[in-house]
Amino acid sequence: DIQMTQSPSSLSASVGDRVTITCRASQRIASYLNWYQQKPGKAPELLVYAASSLQSGVPSRFSGSGSGTDFTLTISSLQPEDFATYYCQQSYNTQYTFGQGTRLEIK
Amino acid sequence: QVQLVQSGAEVKKPGASVKVSCQASGYTFTSYDINWVRQATGQGLEWMGWMNPNSGNTGYAQKFQGRVTMTRNTSISTAYMELSSLRSEDTAVYYCARRGLRYFDPFDYWGQGTLVTVSS
């Protein structure tokens, strides 16, 4: 299986900060990389697909980039509702795998 | 609007089986695959498998091969995930998620989750 490794595992930041989360794949996955946001007690929600395409309705402060093995999710100016856990997921093959998650906390 | 509504919480004994349902509305059920993902308390997301509601074709994570079965009833737009030989480590919230028909499509809508507790 393709292993997905996120860094950092947790992150403290303030409202208005610019934040970057990294996801690394154990092999090249082209741009088959998706990002999800999960709030406590809720189902995950799709933010970014195909590495850099913003899902409809997602604020433009979210952006994704990367290809091959290294990917990033950037939040340009943190808002209170952005404090959550973020997961990357590879869809390069049908043995889908997720990163371990990055918990974004309020500083 | 697209909705995936899952069945309620379950409590099962070790060795038993559980069957979770996922009823779709707001779109053509057979035009999107259904995937199942689980999450143990405080842990990350773990993909279990996919099912094509039109053909009934399935694909399972190697970890669950032989223990999971995904089926559907197209007349009521409902997908099912059955997990057998339950053990305590299977205690988790189980989610269904919609995916486009291309294998690389993302999971764009999710159910609300079903808590399955395995305890003697």
Side-chain angles (χ1 to χ4, degrees), chain A residues 36 38 91-92 94-96, chain B residues 39 47 60 99 103-104 107:
Chain A
Y36 301 87
Q38 186 179 34
S91 53
Y92 179 77
T94 56
Q95 290 290 311
Y96 304 116
Chain B
Q39 184 173 40
W47 176 77
Y60 302 138
R99 192 206 73 206
Y103 73 90
F104 53 82
F107 303 162

Side-chain angles (χ1 to χ4, degrees), chain A residues 21-98:
Chain A
I21 298 169
T22 297
C23 179
R24 175 165 287 176
S26 61
Q27 67 179 71
R28 296 183 67 84
I29 59 170
S31 295
Y32 297 118
L33 190 283
N34 311 304
W35 290 97
Y36 301 87
Q37 177 193 66
Q38 186 179 34
K39 296 181 179 178
K42 300 294 187 181
E45 294 186 356
L46 176 65
L47 293 177
V48 172
Y49 62 96
S52 60
S53 296
L54 206 60
Q55 174 69 350
S56 175
V58 173
S60 59
R61 62 181 179 273
F62 290 91
S63 63
S65 65
S67 67
T69 59
D70 294 317
F71 302 86
T72 59
L73 175 71
T74 299
I75 310 172
S76 60
S77 178
L78 273 174
Q79 298 302 302
E81 60 268 29
D82 299 337
F83 292 94
T85 301
Y86 293 84
Y87 293 93
C88 62
Q89 175 233 345
Q90 65 81 17
S91 53
Y92 179 77
N93 64 33
T94 56
Q95 290 290 311
Y96 304 116
T97 45
F98 290 89

Side-chain angles (χ1 to χ4, degrees), chain B residues 53-102:
Chain B
N54 187 45
S55 64
N57 288 345
T58 56
Y60 302 138
Q62 290 162 0
K63 174 177 179 175
F64 299 102
Q65 287 274 3
R67 214 161 60 92
V68 70
T69 305
M70 295 177 187
T71 57
R72 87 292 190 206
N73 182 335
T74 56
S75 68
I76 55 171
S77 300
T78 299
Y80 303 93
M81 186 283 299
E82 184 170 21
L83 188 62
S84 62
S85 302
L86 289 169
R87 35 211 189 228
S88 59
E89 310 90 88
D90 294 318
T91 294
V93 175
Y94 289 75
Y95 295 101
C96 60
R98 189 184 84 159
R99 192 206 73 206
L101 292 181
R102 300 174 302 180

